[in-house]
Amino acid sequence: MTWQTVTVTNQTGLHARPASLFINAAAAFRSKITVTKNDRSGSAKSLLGILALGISKGSEITITAEGEDEAEAVAALVQLVESKFGEQ
């Protein structure tokens, strides 16, 4: 199991467009990937799972992956969050 905690810094957090980008990136990996905010977790491959977490700017989330490509999955998703999903 690989995990990393990252702070969401883009303006809208993980809502609509950023959530879709996040889910599409997660879907490229075979590992089971979850996102945790505070005590709540959701699948990184589910729009409802992500939106239900209410991840806004400044939220600290933990991305956890378990499977054959877990390290690559966590690294890619952390990089996506740190890139602010292409927002300026």
Side-chain angles (χ1 to χ4, degrees), residues 2-39:
T2 301
W3 60 272
Q4 187 170 340
T5 299
V6 63
T7 301
V8 176
T9 58
N10 64 308
Q11 287 297 323
T12 60
L14 257 66
H15 294 278
R17 189 189 70 80
S20 293
L21 293 172
F22 190 86
I23 292 162
N24 287 337
F29 297 96
R30 294 184 181 188
S31 293
K32 177 183 176 187
I33 306 169
T34 58
V35 177
T36 304
K37 176 187 167 201
N38 299 328
D39 294 337

Side-chain angles (χ1 to χ4, degrees), residues 12-81:
T12 60
L14 257 66
H15 294 278
R17 189 189 70 80
S20 293
L21 293 172
F22 190 86
I23 292 162
N24 287 337
F29 297 96
R30 294 184 181 188
S31 293
K32 177 183 176 187
I33 306 169
T34 58
V35 177
T36 304
K37 176 187 167 201
N38 299 328
D39 294 337
R40 298 173 52 206
S41 295
S43 171
K45 299 179 182 180
S46 163
L47 182 60
L48 287 177
I50 295 297
L51 293 178
L53 296 175
I55 300 169
S56 59
K57 182 179 181 181
S59 295
E60 193 170 80
I61 62 172
T62 300
I63 301 167
T64 305
E66 187 169 353
E68 62 188 69
D69 54 3
E70 61 188 42
E72 296 87 355
V74 170
L77 294 172
V78 166
Q79 182 178 15
L80 180 62
V81 172

